[in-house]
Amino acid sequence: MGWALLLQRWVGPSLLSVASGEGSVVWRTGALYTQRHVGHFRSPSETHSSMAEEAKKLAGYAAVDNHVKDNHVVGVGSGSTIVFAVDRLAERVRQEKLNIVCVPTSFQARQLILKHGLVLSDLDRHPELDVAIDGADEVDAALTLIKGGGGCLTQEKIVAGCAKHFIVIADFRKASSTLGQQWKKGVPIEVIPMSYVPVSRTIAKLFGGEAVLRMAVNKAGPVVTDNSNFILDWKFENPQNWAVVNTTIKMIPGVVETGLFVGMAERVYFGMEDGTVSVRDPQIN
């Protein structure tokens, strides 16, 4: 059925115009062009989100293709980016008849493994992993990571520490030169519930900033980890010596683990806005 539409209005300082006949529409606002069907316009924020999802997929696929081989034991991380890595892992297992064993870092990772029909194991049976693949909330130039936005930092660090190779996947929004540039929610710190107040006070005294108890969104009270602990989010004020900070905080009574991954990542794959994958390796001193 033939139709035509002409719509024109101002959006801030930019003119938005849509003109169509049969087929698709080009929506212009500033320098952004997005081709969509009339009636399904995509806002700039939606476009950015869509780019991020595609970037996660690119990073996840690249890591699995480059680092997973037949007969590997693979540590499976947590978070939204790892979903794409597990999709690709399952695809390769089916297509290439790979013999792969998976060790999860969280309940979410366990469910992903089972959903795809992959072989599920644990560190009791496989204490040494060939590779672990996980996401990150932020990555600096030295490959120091902030992890734990999803609350699984302790198990993620244990699994990463058991792997011969620890590979990180992320989208372009997670790349920084120094921590704190992109991730504004602070460094997650898992603590024994009874200790959260004294630990919070000690961290603030030692390093400044503020360590706040993470509260749940859809339930009353604090977030509870898979290990039945609480999480503090330390909102630091200045750049730090992260190796010193990590060790010092871990020595505070009541601290289980920090979301600082220092000197652990071997390589980071960033999916980029332009559809490419950027690789970041450790700096050579």
Side-chain angles (χ1 to χ4, degrees):
M1 180 174 63
W3 48 268
L5 171 68
L6 177 64
L7 171 65
Q8 189 173 67
R9 66 183 180 85
W10 287 95
V11 179
S14 303
L15 179 67
L16 176 142
S17 60
V18 180
S20 72
E22 298 282 0
S24 61
V25 178
V26 174
W27 176 26
R28 182 181 189 276
T29 167
L32 176 67
Y33 291 81
T34 304
Q35 190 158 317
R36 301 286 289 167
H37 191 276
V38 169
H40 296 86
F41 298 132
R42 179 177 291 182
S43 69
S45 62
E46 289 175 326
T47 301
H48 192 71
S49 177
S50 177
M51 286 180 179
E53 290 303 299
E54 182 61 26
K56 293 176 184 180
K57 180 178 180 180
L58 291 169
Y61 275 46
V64 170
D65 287 348
N66 290 335
H67 298 278
V68 176
K69 299 179 180 179
D70 193 23
N71 297 315
H72 266 187
V73 180
V74 180
V76 177
S78 308
S80 59
T81 309
I82 204 69
V83 172
F84 296 103
V86 177
D87 285 346
R88 179 56 178 162
L89 182 60
E91 185 176 64
R92 286 193 59 200
V93 167
R94 290 192 303 269
Q95 293 177 350
E96 302 172 36
K97 310 300 182 185
L98 300 181
N99 177 34
I100 299 295
V101 173
C102 298
V103 175
T105 59
S106 65
F107 181 80
Q108 178 219 8
R110 180 181 184 276
Q111 295 305 102
L112 280 173
I113 293 165
L114 293 175
K115 173 186 174 182
H116 286 281
L118 297 168
V119 178
L120 175 69
S121 189
D122 52 42
L123 293 177
D124 291 341
R125 287 171 286 182
H126 293 90
E128 186 174 283
L129 315 178
D130 294 290
V131 62
I133 300 175
D134 207 344
D137 299 310
E138 189 172 32
V139 183
D140 74 6
L143 267 59
T144 299
L145 318 175
I146 291 179
K147 289 177 53 57
C152 304
L153 57 149
T154 298
Q155 293 176 202
E156 289 172 343
K157 191 175 282 190
I158 291 170
V159 170
C162 292
K164 297 175 185 176
H165 306 284
F166 177 42
I167 307 300
V168 176
I169 53 178
D171 64 76
F172 53 88
R173 301 172 300 177
K174 310 300 176 64
S176 296
S177 57
T178 60
L179 295 184
Q181 285 184 330
Q182 302 287 355
W183 182 253
K184 304 299 183 182
K185 297 180 180 180
V187 176
I189 300 164
E190 185 165 346
V191 300
I192 301 298
M194 69 175 290
S195 74
Y196 84 89
V197 171
V199 170
S200 175
R201 290 166 60 89
T202 301
I203 291 172
K205 182 179 180 180
L206 288 172
F207 301 110
E210 182 183 20
V212 298
L213 182 64
R214 186 184 298 181
M215 304 303 290
V217 176
N218 294 318
K219 66 175 280 292
V223 168
V224 178
T225 70
D226 286 358
N227 308 308
S228 300
N229 294 318
F230 290 171
I231 291 180
L232 297 173
D233 288 304
W234 172 45
K235 300 179 181 179
F236 56 91
E237 296 174 335
N238 303 301
Q240 306 279 344
N241 181 327
W242 294 116
V244 171
V245 168
N246 181 55
T247 300
T248 303
I249 291 178
K250 287 181 67 171
M251 293 301 293
I252 300 171
V255 171
V256 177
E257 189 54 86
T258 82
L260 290 166
F261 285 51
V262 183
M264 297 185 71
E266 178 178 307
R267 173 170 286 183
V268 181
Y269 290 91
F270 293 106
M272 305 305 292
E273 293 171 282
D274 62 1
T276 63
V277 173
S278 174
V279 176
R280 184 179 293 184
D281 292 317
Q283 296 172 326
I284 300 176
N285 297 324

